[in-house]
Amino acid sequence: MFKKYSFKGGIHPPHNKKQTESLTIEEFAAPDKVIIPLSQHIGAPAKAVVKRGDRVCIGQTIGDAGGFVSAPVHSSVSGTVKSVGMFPHPTGKQTMAVEIENDGTDEFAPLESFEKPWKEAAPGELIQKINNCGIVGMGGATFPTHVKLSPPSNKPIDTLIINGAECEPYLTADHRLMLERTEGLLTGALITRKILGAKRCTIAIEDNKADAIAAISQKLSDPKFKDLSVGVLKSKYPQGGEKQLINAVTSREVPSGGLPMDIGCVVENVSTALAIYDAIIDGKPLYQRVVTITGPLTRTPKNLLVRIGTPVMNILQACDVDFSMLKKVVTGGPMMGIALSTLDVPVIKSTSGLLTLDEKTPGIREYPCINCGKCVKICPMKLIPSRICKYAEKGKLDDAAEWNLMDCMECGSCTYTCPSKINLVHYIRLGKYQIQAKRAAQNTEQKK
């Protein structure tokens, strides 16, 4: 019997994972054309190193990192570069991307596996390889992994948590990876642990994935995984949030405005751990990922291994989506995902799911706040969302900041639970944007 970890606050939305949790991962055929954005990560966009007419192979670098906090981008097909220009991005913006016509030969660029056993490599050598392969956080944050694995010397890491919570409703991509690529992701965890020098490494999984807990526990009986352990989490949203996960497993709290490394912790998603394994063992860059396609209008839901740059429309058509009823497609989960403005956008490194819905969220009819305190009770960041919302709505940004507006993780739990149907997270997000704009303007003014 496992001890079950949890955190204070949170909500219990319906899981809605039955559609896909038992479906094995299928490889989706490469499309005739891919659109690969040069910005698929936090930080500076990559810089294109190819031009129209160039021939490229799978795994070939088509964009170099644009700075330290950045990541290179690789081709997911073999073929000819048709253009380098502005294309729709899942975030709703137009961003620079490389358009490649697939020649169907699936020719790979030479994949350079690590030149020595990873256990004999120095941490810096492993980090460089991970950087070269364009690995970023695949749980949604897209923070460049080589940066996360390079904490300053005055911030030693003693705890590594591999995040297998997948608490967003509907999504099952990580769940299936834990069942189908168990040894690979555990080896990726060992590699990451070696890089960080962490004494403790916990694979954290919610208790609604009993088969994954059993599969990983069985694999951990192998002596080569003796330095890893399983941590079972109570199923609750947002259990997979980085700060909530750390608090649940270690009882530590990331300070306001701080990072996990400030308290000796690093969290990596299970998909990222597997990508690290693929990079170090097989020399494989990050050019594909597993995506869950589901929702009420998806007649044939699937967990698909998809090439980065594949148009969303191609995938929805293959899953027999009822377009006659389709009102909205969300990339990611329903709580923190983004509604797509066009189905011409491509799958990127952070695309964990595509959720088809037959209705848009009803126009939120606001009633006055009744001061019930439900949003305070469930807030996983221990904030007072109703008060912050009021300040943000009235433009009192200094007051909102004083009540820690910037610490909000925008999980949407407050909006989900509000009996007055106030879209609290909308106003909080608006307040954050306004504060960031104000600070940017002040910085610009100071530089004059």
PDB file of all heavy atoms in Angstrom, residues 15 17 21 163-178 204-206 208-209 233 236-237 239-241 245 269-271 289-290 292 303 352-353:
ATOM      1  N   HIS A  15     -12.782  13.322 -14.900  1.00  0.00           N
ATOM      2  CA  HIS A  15     -11.528  12.967 -15.568  1.00  0.00           C
ATOM      3  C   HIS A  15     -11.685  12.865 -17.086  1.00  0.00           C
ATOM      4  O   HIS A  15     -10.815  13.271 -17.845  1.00  0.00           O
ATOM      5  CB  HIS A  15     -10.997  11.640 -15.027  1.00  0.00           C
ATOM      6  CG  HIS A  15     -10.614  11.705 -13.586  1.00  0.00           C
ATOM      7  ND1 HIS A  15     -10.632  10.612 -12.755  1.00  0.00           N
ATOM      8  CD2 HIS A  15     -10.231  12.750 -12.814  1.00  0.00           C
ATOM      9  CE1 HIS A  15     -10.264  10.973 -11.535  1.00  0.00           C
ATOM     10  NE2 HIS A  15     -10.027  12.258 -11.534  1.00  0.00           N
ATOM     11  N   LYS A  17     -11.261  10.481 -19.157  1.00  0.00           N
ATOM     12  CA  LYS A  17     -10.109   9.851 -19.805  1.00  0.00           C
ATOM     13  C   LYS A  17     -10.440   8.472 -20.388  1.00  0.00           C
ATOM     14  O   LYS A  17      -9.596   7.859 -21.041  1.00  0.00           O
ATOM     15  CB  LYS A  17      -8.957   9.721 -18.808  1.00  0.00           C
ATOM     16  CG  LYS A  17      -8.375  11.061 -18.342  1.00  0.00           C
ATOM     17  CD  LYS A  17      -7.314  10.864 -17.271  1.00  0.00           C
ATOM     18  CE  LYS A  17      -6.772  12.182 -16.730  1.00  0.00           C
ATOM     19  NZ  LYS A  17      -5.823  12.840 -17.632  1.00  0.00           N
ATOM     20  N   GLU A  21      -7.732   6.182 -22.557  1.00  0.00           N
ATOM     21  CA  GLU A  21      -6.698   5.693 -21.644  1.00  0.00           C
ATOM     22  C   GLU A  21      -6.248   4.257 -21.939  1.00  0.00           C
ATOM     23  O   GLU A  21      -5.147   3.861 -21.555  1.00  0.00           O
ATOM     24  CB  GLU A  21      -7.176   5.801 -20.190  1.00  0.00           C
ATOM     25  CG  GLU A  21      -8.350   4.903 -19.855  1.00  0.00           C
ATOM     26  CD  GLU A  21      -8.841   5.112 -18.429  1.00  0.00           C
ATOM     27  OE1 GLU A  21      -8.339   6.029 -17.740  1.00  0.00           O
ATOM     28  OE2 GLU A  21      -9.737   4.364 -18.009  1.00  0.00           O
ATOM     29  N   ASN A 163       7.266  13.969 -13.452  1.00  0.00           N
ATOM     30  CA  ASN A 163       5.847  14.292 -13.361  1.00  0.00           C
ATOM     31  C   ASN A 163       4.997  13.394 -14.269  1.00  0.00           C
ATOM     32  O   ASN A 163       4.949  13.588 -15.485  1.00  0.00           O
ATOM     33  CB  ASN A 163       5.637  15.765 -13.729  1.00  0.00           C
ATOM     34  CG  ASN A 163       4.217  16.235 -13.516  1.00  0.00           C
ATOM     35  OD1 ASN A 163       3.319  15.435 -13.199  1.00  0.00           O
ATOM     36  ND2 ASN A 163       3.988  17.519 -13.692  1.00  0.00           N
ATOM     37  N   GLY A 164       4.335  12.410 -13.660  1.00  0.00           N
ATOM     38  CA  GLY A 164       3.409  11.545 -14.403  1.00  0.00           C
ATOM     39  C   GLY A 164       1.974  11.755 -13.950  1.00  0.00           C
ATOM     40  O   GLY A 164       1.128  10.872 -14.107  1.00  0.00           O
ATOM     41  N   ALA A 165       1.697  12.939 -13.395  1.00  0.00           N
ATOM     42  CA  ALA A 165       0.349  13.196 -12.851  1.00  0.00           C
ATOM     43  C   ALA A 165      -0.695  13.277 -13.960  1.00  0.00           C
ATOM     44  O   ALA A 165      -1.753  12.677 -13.869  1.00  0.00           O
ATOM     45  CB  ALA A 165       0.361  14.491 -12.043  1.00  0.00           C
ATOM     46  N   GLU A 166      -0.374  14.029 -15.001  1.00  0.00           N
ATOM     47  CA  GLU A 166      -1.324  14.256 -16.114  1.00  0.00           C
ATOM     48  C   GLU A 166      -2.731  14.519 -15.573  1.00  0.00           C
ATOM     49  O   GLU A 166      -3.682  13.775 -15.846  1.00  0.00           O
ATOM     50  CB  GLU A 166      -1.329  13.090 -17.095  1.00  0.00           C
ATOM     51  CG  GLU A 166      -1.885  13.471 -18.460  1.00  0.00           C
ATOM     52  CD  GLU A 166      -1.640  12.397 -19.516  1.00  0.00           C
ATOM     53  OE1 GLU A 166      -1.897  11.233 -19.228  1.00  0.00           O
ATOM     54  OE2 GLU A 166      -1.193  12.741 -20.632  1.00  0.00           O
ATOM     55  N   CYS A 167      -2.853  15.590 -14.789  1.00  0.00           N
ATOM     56  CA  CYS A 167      -4.109  15.877 -14.082  1.00  0.00           C
ATOM     57  C   CYS A 167      -5.152  16.558 -14.949  1.00  0.00           C
ATOM     58  O   CYS A 167      -6.321  16.641 -14.551  1.00  0.00           O
ATOM     59  CB  CYS A 167      -3.812  16.732 -12.852  1.00  0.00           C
ATOM     60  SG  CYS A 167      -3.086  18.351 -13.245  1.00  0.00           S
ATOM     61  N   GLU A 168      -4.770  17.087 -16.113  1.00  0.00           N
ATOM     62  CA  GLU A 168      -5.756  17.714 -16.990  1.00  0.00           C
ATOM     63  C   GLU A 168      -6.762  16.663 -17.466  1.00  0.00           C
ATOM     64  O   GLU A 168      -6.372  15.573 -17.910  1.00  0.00           O
ATOM     65  CB  GLU A 168      -5.065  18.325 -18.221  1.00  0.00           C
ATOM     66  CG  GLU A 168      -4.573  19.742 -18.039  1.00  0.00           C
ATOM     67  CD  GLU A 168      -5.640  20.798 -18.382  1.00  0.00           C
ATOM     68  OE1 GLU A 168      -6.788  20.396 -18.662  1.00  0.00           O
ATOM     69  OE2 GLU A 168      -5.298  21.984 -18.375  1.00  0.00           O
ATOM     70  N   PRO A 169      -8.069  16.958 -17.399  1.00  0.00           N
ATOM     71  CA  PRO A 169      -9.065  16.031 -17.934  1.00  0.00           C
ATOM     72  C   PRO A 169      -8.798  15.707 -19.410  1.00  0.00           C
ATOM     73  O   PRO A 169      -8.163  16.489 -20.120  1.00  0.00           O
ATOM     74  CB  PRO A 169     -10.385  16.810 -17.783  1.00  0.00           C
ATOM     75  CG  PRO A 169     -10.137  17.748 -16.655  1.00  0.00           C
ATOM     76  CD  PRO A 169      -8.690  18.140 -16.773  1.00  0.00           C
ATOM     77  N   TYR A 170      -9.223  14.556 -19.832  1.00  0.00           N
ATOM     78  CA  TYR A 170      -9.172  14.067 -21.214  1.00  0.00           C
ATOM     79  C   TYR A 170      -7.794  13.546 -21.647  1.00  0.00           C
ATOM     80  O   TYR A 170      -7.710  12.612 -22.430  1.00  0.00           O
ATOM     81  CB  TYR A 170      -9.598  15.156 -22.224  1.00  0.00           C
ATOM     82  CG  TYR A 170     -11.078  15.458 -22.231  1.00  0.00           C
ATOM     83  CD1 TYR A 170     -11.590  16.548 -21.539  1.00  0.00           C
ATOM     84  CD2 TYR A 170     -11.978  14.649 -22.926  1.00  0.00           C
ATOM     85  CE1 TYR A 170     -12.959  16.844 -21.552  1.00  0.00           C
ATOM     86  CE2 TYR A 170     -13.345  14.920 -22.938  1.00  0.00           C
ATOM     87  CZ  TYR A 170     -13.828  16.027 -22.250  1.00  0.00           C
ATOM     88  OH  TYR A 170     -15.176  16.306 -22.258  1.00  0.00           O
ATOM     89  N   LEU A 171      -6.698  14.125 -21.177  1.00  0.00           N
ATOM     90  CA  LEU A 171      -5.387  13.785 -21.732  1.00  0.00           C
ATOM     91  C   LEU A 171      -4.875  12.441 -21.205  1.00  0.00           C
ATOM     92  O   LEU A 171      -4.967  12.157 -20.004  1.00  0.00           O
ATOM     93  CB  LEU A 171      -4.367  14.884 -21.405  1.00  0.00           C
ATOM     94  CG  LEU A 171      -4.719  16.290 -21.883  1.00  0.00           C
ATOM     95  CD1 LEU A 171      -3.578  17.245 -21.587  1.00  0.00           C
ATOM     96  CD2 LEU A 171      -5.060  16.296 -23.366  1.00  0.00           C
ATOM     97  N   THR A 172      -4.309  11.632 -22.101  1.00  0.00           N
ATOM     98  CA  THR A 172      -3.789  10.314 -21.716  1.00  0.00           C
ATOM     99  C   THR A 172      -2.450  10.002 -22.378  1.00  0.00           C
ATOM    100  O   THR A 172      -1.991   8.865 -22.312  1.00  0.00           O
ATOM    101  CB  THR A 172      -4.806   9.206 -22.077  1.00  0.00           C
ATOM    102  OG1 THR A 172      -5.101   9.266 -23.484  1.00  0.00           O
ATOM    103  CG2 THR A 172      -6.103   9.361 -21.292  1.00  0.00           C
ATOM    104  N   ALA A 173      -1.824  10.985 -23.018  1.00  0.00           N
ATOM    105  CA  ALA A 173      -0.568  10.730 -23.732  1.00  0.00           C
ATOM    106  C   ALA A 173       0.530  10.268 -22.768  1.00  0.00           C
ATOM    107  O   ALA A 173       1.235   9.285 -23.030  1.00  0.00           O
ATOM    108  CB  ALA A 173      -0.137  12.004 -24.466  1.00  0.00           C
ATOM    109  N   ASP A 174       0.686  10.958 -21.640  1.00  0.00           N
ATOM    110  CA  ASP A 174       1.714  10.563 -20.670  1.00  0.00           C
ATOM    111  C   ASP A 174       1.389   9.217 -20.043  1.00  0.00           C
ATOM    112  O   ASP A 174       2.288   8.408 -19.777  1.00  0.00           O
ATOM    113  CB  ASP A 174       1.833  11.631 -19.571  1.00  0.00           C
ATOM    114  CG  ASP A 174       2.502  12.898 -20.063  1.00  0.00           C
ATOM    115  OD1 ASP A 174       3.080  12.875 -21.162  1.00  0.00           O
ATOM    116  OD2 ASP A 174       2.450  13.907 -19.338  1.00  0.00           O
ATOM    117  N   HIS A 175       0.112   8.988 -19.798  1.00  0.00           N
ATOM    118  CA  HIS A 175      -0.319   7.703 -19.239  1.00  0.00           C
ATOM    119  C   HIS A 175       0.129   6.548 -20.146  1.00  0.00           C
ATOM    120  O   HIS A 175       0.724   5.571 -19.684  1.00  0.00           O
ATOM    121  CB  HIS A 175      -1.846   7.721 -19.106  1.00  0.00           C
ATOM    122  CG  HIS A 175      -2.432   6.514 -18.436  1.00  0.00           C
ATOM    123  ND1 HIS A 175      -3.756   6.424 -18.088  1.00  0.00           N
ATOM    124  CD2 HIS A 175      -1.889   5.332 -18.059  1.00  0.00           C
ATOM    125  CE1 HIS A 175      -3.992   5.264 -17.518  1.00  0.00           C
ATOM    126  NE2 HIS A 175      -2.876   4.574 -17.500  1.00  0.00           N
ATOM    127  N   ARG A 176      -0.127   6.693 -21.435  1.00  0.00           N
ATOM    128  CA  ARG A 176       0.251   5.611 -22.356  1.00  0.00           C
ATOM    129  C   ARG A 176       1.774   5.463 -22.442  1.00  0.00           C
ATOM    130  O   ARG A 176       2.294   4.345 -22.534  1.00  0.00           O
ATOM    131  CB  ARG A 176      -0.325   5.877 -23.756  1.00  0.00           C
ATOM    132  CG  ARG A 176      -1.840   5.814 -23.854  1.00  0.00           C
ATOM    133  CD  ARG A 176      -2.452   4.567 -23.247  1.00  0.00           C
ATOM    134  NE  ARG A 176      -1.819   3.330 -23.726  1.00  0.00           N
ATOM    135  CZ  ARG A 176      -2.175   2.131 -23.310  1.00  0.00           C
ATOM    136  NH1 ARG A 176      -3.125   1.997 -22.385  1.00  0.00           N
ATOM    137  NH2 ARG A 176      -1.572   1.046 -23.773  1.00  0.00           N
ATOM    138  N   LEU A 177       2.509   6.562 -22.391  1.00  0.00           N
ATOM    139  CA  LEU A 177       3.975   6.453 -22.434  1.00  0.00           C
ATOM    140  C   LEU A 177       4.503   5.691 -21.226  1.00  0.00           C
ATOM    141  O   LEU A 177       5.456   4.906 -21.338  1.00  0.00           O
ATOM    142  CB  LEU A 177       4.608   7.848 -22.491  1.00  0.00           C
ATOM    143  CG  LEU A 177       4.578   8.550 -23.851  1.00  0.00           C
ATOM    144  CD1 LEU A 177       5.152   9.951 -23.736  1.00  0.00           C
ATOM    145  CD2 LEU A 177       5.349   7.747 -24.894  1.00  0.00           C
ATOM    146  N   MET A 178       3.885   5.917 -20.066  1.00  0.00           N
ATOM    147  CA  MET A 178       4.339   5.201 -18.867  1.00  0.00           C
ATOM    148  C   MET A 178       4.114   3.706 -18.992  1.00  0.00           C
ATOM    149  O   MET A 178       4.856   2.906 -18.425  1.00  0.00           O
ATOM    150  CB  MET A 178       3.635   5.762 -17.620  1.00  0.00           C
ATOM    151  CG  MET A 178       4.129   7.145 -17.226  1.00  0.00           C
ATOM    152  SD  MET A 178       3.492   7.720 -15.629  1.00  0.00           S
ATOM    153  CE  MET A 178       1.831   8.216 -16.071  1.00  0.00           C
ATOM    154  N   ALA A 204       6.212  10.477  -9.945  1.00  0.00           N
ATOM    155  CA  ALA A 204       4.953  10.837  -9.281  1.00  0.00           C
ATOM    156  C   ALA A 204       3.770  10.613 -10.224  1.00  0.00           C
ATOM    157  O   ALA A 204       3.717  11.191 -11.314  1.00  0.00           O
ATOM    158  CB  ALA A 204       5.005  12.295  -8.839  1.00  0.00           C
ATOM    159  N   ILE A 205       2.820   9.765  -9.767  1.00  0.00           N
ATOM    160  CA  ILE A 205       1.697   9.364 -10.629  1.00  0.00           C
ATOM    161  C   ILE A 205       0.404   9.457  -9.832  1.00  0.00           C
ATOM    162  O   ILE A 205       0.350   9.027  -8.675  1.00  0.00           O
ATOM    163  CB  ILE A 205       1.879   7.907 -11.131  1.00  0.00           C
ATOM    164  CG1 ILE A 205       3.279   7.705 -11.710  1.00  0.00           C
ATOM    165  CG2 ILE A 205       0.821   7.555 -12.174  1.00  0.00           C
ATOM    166  CD1 ILE A 205       3.621   6.253 -11.979  1.00  0.00           C
ATOM    167  N   GLU A 206      -0.657   9.983 -10.453  1.00  0.00           N
ATOM    168  CA  GLU A 206      -1.955  10.049  -9.774  1.00  0.00           C
ATOM    169  C   GLU A 206      -2.563   8.653  -9.632  1.00  0.00           C
ATOM    170  O   GLU A 206      -2.344   7.769 -10.476  1.00  0.00           O
ATOM    171  CB  GLU A 206      -2.914  10.952 -10.552  1.00  0.00           C
ATOM    172  CG  GLU A 206      -2.656  12.427 -10.330  1.00  0.00           C
ATOM    173  CD  GLU A 206      -3.802  13.285 -10.856  1.00  0.00           C
ATOM    174  OE1 GLU A 206      -4.540  12.826 -11.741  1.00  0.00           O
ATOM    175  OE2 GLU A 206      -3.949  14.422 -10.363  1.00  0.00           O
ATOM    176  N   ASN A 208      -5.396   7.548 -10.214  1.00  0.00           N
ATOM    177  CA  ASN A 208      -6.351   7.090 -11.236  1.00  0.00           C
ATOM    178  C   ASN A 208      -5.645   6.404 -12.408  1.00  0.00           C
ATOM    179  O   ASN A 208      -6.269   6.095 -13.427  1.00  0.00           O
ATOM    180  CB  ASN A 208      -7.203   8.254 -11.736  1.00  0.00           C
ATOM    181  CG  ASN A 208      -6.391   9.352 -12.429  1.00  0.00           C
ATOM    182  OD1 ASN A 208      -5.158   9.301 -12.448  1.00  0.00           O
ATOM    183  ND2 ASN A 208      -7.068  10.336 -12.984  1.00  0.00           N
ATOM    184  N   LYS A 209      -4.352   6.136 -12.247  1.00  0.00           N
ATOM    185  CA  LYS A 209      -3.576   5.418 -13.278  1.00  0.00           C
ATOM    186  C   LYS A 209      -2.921   4.205 -12.637  1.00  0.00           C
ATOM    187  O   LYS A 209      -1.689   4.054 -12.621  1.00  0.00           O
ATOM    188  CB  LYS A 209      -2.515   6.345 -13.899  1.00  0.00           C
ATOM    189  CG  LYS A 209      -3.104   7.625 -14.498  1.00  0.00           C
ATOM    190  CD  LYS A 209      -2.030   8.587 -14.936  1.00  0.00           C
ATOM    191  CE  LYS A 209      -2.629   9.905 -15.371  1.00  0.00           C
ATOM    192  NZ  LYS A 209      -3.301  10.665 -14.286  1.00  0.00           N
ATOM    193  N   LEU A 233       0.022   9.862  -6.037  1.00  0.00           N
ATOM    194  CA  LEU A 233      -0.654  11.126  -5.735  1.00  0.00           C
ATOM    195  C   LEU A 233      -2.163  10.933  -5.719  1.00  0.00           C
ATOM    196  O   LEU A 233      -2.698  10.153  -6.521  1.00  0.00           O
ATOM    197  CB  LEU A 233      -0.318  12.164  -6.812  1.00  0.00           C
ATOM    198  CG  LEU A 233       1.154  12.388  -7.126  1.00  0.00           C
ATOM    199  CD1 LEU A 233       1.297  13.051  -8.503  1.00  0.00           C
ATOM    200  CD2 LEU A 233       1.799  13.265  -6.064  1.00  0.00           C
ATOM    201  N   LYS A 236      -6.282  14.865  -8.281  1.00  0.00           N
ATOM    202  CA  LYS A 236      -6.870  16.162  -8.007  1.00  0.00           C
ATOM    203  C   LYS A 236      -6.231  17.172  -8.950  1.00  0.00           C
ATOM    204  O   LYS A 236      -5.049  17.070  -9.279  1.00  0.00           O
ATOM    205  CB  LYS A 236      -6.584  16.554  -6.546  1.00  0.00           C
ATOM    206  CG  LYS A 236      -7.207  17.864  -6.123  1.00  0.00           C
ATOM    207  CD  LYS A 236      -7.220  18.040  -4.614  1.00  0.00           C
ATOM    208  CE  LYS A 236      -5.848  18.086  -3.993  1.00  0.00           C
ATOM    209  NZ  LYS A 236      -5.905  18.454  -2.548  1.00  0.00           N
ATOM    210  N   TYR A 237      -7.005  18.148  -9.379  1.00  0.00           N
ATOM    211  CA  TYR A 237      -6.483  19.184 -10.264  1.00  0.00           C
ATOM    212  C   TYR A 237      -6.120  20.427  -9.452  1.00  0.00           C
ATOM    213  O   TYR A 237      -6.903  20.812  -8.570  1.00  0.00           O
ATOM    214  CB  TYR A 237      -7.520  19.537 -11.334  1.00  0.00           C
ATOM    215  CG  TYR A 237      -7.063  20.607 -12.269  1.00  0.00           C
ATOM    216  CD1 TYR A 237      -6.278  20.306 -13.367  1.00  0.00           C
ATOM    217  CD2 TYR A 237      -7.385  21.943 -12.028  1.00  0.00           C
ATOM    218  CE1 TYR A 237      -5.823  21.299 -14.202  1.00  0.00           C
ATOM    219  CE2 TYR A 237      -6.930  22.951 -12.860  1.00  0.00           C
ATOM    220  CZ  TYR A 237      -6.150  22.621 -13.942  1.00  0.00           C
ATOM    221  OH  TYR A 237      -5.697  23.609 -14.772  1.00  0.00           O
ATOM    222  N   GLN A 239      -2.868  18.826  -9.682  1.00  0.00           N
ATOM    223  CA  GLN A 239      -1.828  18.051  -9.023  1.00  0.00           C
ATOM    224  C   GLN A 239      -0.513  18.060  -9.816  1.00  0.00           C
ATOM    225  O   GLN A 239       0.574  17.934  -9.244  1.00  0.00           O
ATOM    226  CB  GLN A 239      -2.288  16.609  -8.817  1.00  0.00           C
ATOM    227  CG  GLN A 239      -1.314  15.724  -8.073  1.00  0.00           C
ATOM    228  CD  GLN A 239      -1.035  16.169  -6.651  1.00  0.00           C
ATOM    229  OE1 GLN A 239      -1.757  15.848  -5.729  1.00  0.00           O
ATOM    230  NE2 GLN A 239       0.023  16.945  -6.469  1.00  0.00           N
ATOM    231  N   GLY A 240      -0.616  18.180 -11.148  1.00  0.00           N
ATOM    232  CA  GLY A 240       0.597  18.187 -11.970  1.00  0.00           C
ATOM    233  C   GLY A 240       1.287  19.536 -12.040  1.00  0.00           C
ATOM    234  O   GLY A 240       2.342  19.651 -12.675  1.00  0.00           O
ATOM    235  N   GLY A 241       0.727  20.556 -11.409  1.00  0.00           N
ATOM    236  CA  GLY A 241       1.407  21.847 -11.369  1.00  0.00           C
ATOM    237  C   GLY A 241       2.741  21.696 -10.638  1.00  0.00           C
ATOM    238  O   GLY A 241       2.824  21.021  -9.615  1.00  0.00           O
ATOM    239  N   LEU A 245       3.111  19.878  -7.084  1.00  0.00           N
ATOM    240  CA  LEU A 245       3.742  18.558  -7.069  1.00  0.00           C
ATOM    241  C   LEU A 245       4.898  18.518  -6.070  1.00  0.00           C
ATOM    242  O   LEU A 245       5.039  17.565  -5.286  1.00  0.00           O
ATOM    243  CB  LEU A 245       4.235  18.227  -8.476  1.00  0.00           C
ATOM    244  CG  LEU A 245       4.673  16.798  -8.765  1.00  0.00           C
ATOM    245  CD1 LEU A 245       3.583  15.813  -8.410  1.00  0.00           C
ATOM    246  CD2 LEU A 245       5.054  16.663 -10.235  1.00  0.00           C
ATOM    247  N   ASN A 269       8.697  16.440 -16.861  1.00  0.00           N
ATOM    248  CA  ASN A 269       7.562  15.640 -17.320  1.00  0.00           C
ATOM    249  C   ASN A 269       8.042  14.272 -17.823  1.00  0.00           C
ATOM    250  O   ASN A 269       9.179  14.128 -18.267  1.00  0.00           O
ATOM    251  CB  ASN A 269       6.870  16.429 -18.438  1.00  0.00           C
ATOM    252  CG  ASN A 269       5.724  15.690 -19.065  1.00  0.00           C
ATOM    253  OD1 ASN A 269       5.899  15.015 -20.059  1.00  0.00           O
ATOM    254  ND2 ASN A 269       4.558  15.809 -18.475  1.00  0.00           N
ATOM    255  N   VAL A 270       7.161  13.255 -17.780  1.00  0.00           N
ATOM    256  CA  VAL A 270       7.573  11.921 -18.244  1.00  0.00           C
ATOM    257  C   VAL A 270       7.934  11.941 -19.729  1.00  0.00           C
ATOM    258  O   VAL A 270       8.851  11.230 -20.164  1.00  0.00           O
ATOM    259  CB  VAL A 270       6.484  10.856 -17.974  1.00  0.00           C
ATOM    260  CG1 VAL A 270       6.302  10.615 -16.497  1.00  0.00           C
ATOM    261  CG2 VAL A 270       5.156  11.229 -18.609  1.00  0.00           C
ATOM    262  N   SER A 271       7.211  12.746 -20.529  1.00  0.00           N
ATOM    263  CA  SER A 271       7.543  12.834 -21.959  1.00  0.00           C
ATOM    264  C   SER A 271       8.934  13.443 -22.146  1.00  0.00           C
ATOM    265  O   SER A 271       9.687  13.029 -23.042  1.00  0.00           O
ATOM    266  CB  SER A 271       6.502  13.690 -22.687  1.00  0.00           C
ATOM    267  OG  SER A 271       5.244  13.083 -22.667  1.00  0.00           O
ATOM    268  N   ARG A 289       6.043  13.778 -31.181  1.00  0.00           N
ATOM    269  CA  ARG A 289       5.561  13.614 -29.822  1.00  0.00           C
ATOM    270  C   ARG A 289       4.204  12.912 -29.848  1.00  0.00           C
ATOM    271  O   ARG A 289       3.540  12.841 -30.887  1.00  0.00           O
ATOM    272  CB  ARG A 289       5.464  14.950 -29.102  1.00  0.00           C
ATOM    273  CG  ARG A 289       4.403  15.911 -29.595  1.00  0.00           C
ATOM    274  CD  ARG A 289       3.985  16.841 -28.459  1.00  0.00           C
ATOM    275  NE  ARG A 289       3.395  16.086 -27.370  1.00  0.00           N
ATOM    276  CZ  ARG A 289       3.519  16.382 -26.067  1.00  0.00           C
ATOM    277  NH1 ARG A 289       4.180  17.447 -25.719  1.00  0.00           N
ATOM    278  NH2 ARG A 289       2.948  15.622 -25.131  1.00  0.00           N
ATOM    279  N   VAL A 290       3.773  12.423 -28.678  1.00  0.00           N
ATOM    280  CA  VAL A 290       2.479  11.755 -28.561  1.00  0.00           C
ATOM    281  C   VAL A 290       1.411  12.801 -28.233  1.00  0.00           C
ATOM    282  O   VAL A 290       1.604  13.654 -27.366  1.00  0.00           O
ATOM    283  CB  VAL A 290       2.507  10.663 -27.475  1.00  0.00           C
ATOM    284  CG1 VAL A 290       1.121  10.025 -27.325  1.00  0.00           C
ATOM    285  CG2 VAL A 290       3.535   9.598 -27.828  1.00  0.00           C
ATOM    286  N   THR A 292      -2.927  13.230 -27.615  1.00  0.00           N
ATOM    287  CA  THR A 292      -4.236  12.613 -27.421  1.00  0.00           C
ATOM    288  C   THR A 292      -5.278  13.400 -28.217  1.00  0.00           C
ATOM    289  O   THR A 292      -5.384  14.617 -28.064  1.00  0.00           O
ATOM    290  CB  THR A 292      -4.639  12.634 -25.934  1.00  0.00           C
ATOM    291  OG1 THR A 292      -3.674  11.901 -25.180  1.00  0.00           O
ATOM    292  CG2 THR A 292      -6.017  12.018 -25.730  1.00  0.00           C
ATOM    293  N   ASN A 303      -4.506   7.963 -29.343  1.00  0.00           N
ATOM    294  CA  ASN A 303      -3.228   8.516 -28.877  1.00  0.00           C
ATOM    295  C   ASN A 303      -2.256   8.324 -30.040  1.00  0.00           C
ATOM    296  O   ASN A 303      -1.952   7.191 -30.404  1.00  0.00           O
ATOM    297  CB  ASN A 303      -2.727   7.777 -27.634  1.00  0.00           C
ATOM    298  CG  ASN A 303      -3.609   8.007 -26.432  1.00  0.00           C
ATOM    299  OD1 ASN A 303      -3.779   9.130 -25.988  1.00  0.00           O
ATOM    300  ND2 ASN A 303      -4.198   6.939 -25.909  1.00  0.00           N
ATOM    301  N   SER A 352       0.022  18.486 -26.254  1.00  0.00           N
ATOM    302  CA  SER A 352      -0.249  17.215 -25.569  1.00  0.00           C
ATOM    303  C   SER A 352      -1.589  16.619 -25.969  1.00  0.00           C
ATOM    304  O   SER A 352      -1.812  15.412 -25.815  1.00  0.00           O
ATOM    305  CB  SER A 352      -0.227  17.417 -24.052  1.00  0.00           C
ATOM    306  OG  SER A 352      -1.100  18.476 -23.681  1.00  0.00           O
ATOM    307  N   GLY A 353      -2.508  17.451 -26.469  1.00  0.00           N
ATOM    308  CA  GLY A 353      -3.813  16.934 -26.840  1.00  0.00           C
ATOM    309  C   GLY A 353      -4.557  17.879 -27.761  1.00  0.00           C
ATOM    310  O   GLY A 353      -4.236  19.071 -27.872  1.00  0.00           O
TER     311      GLY A 353
END
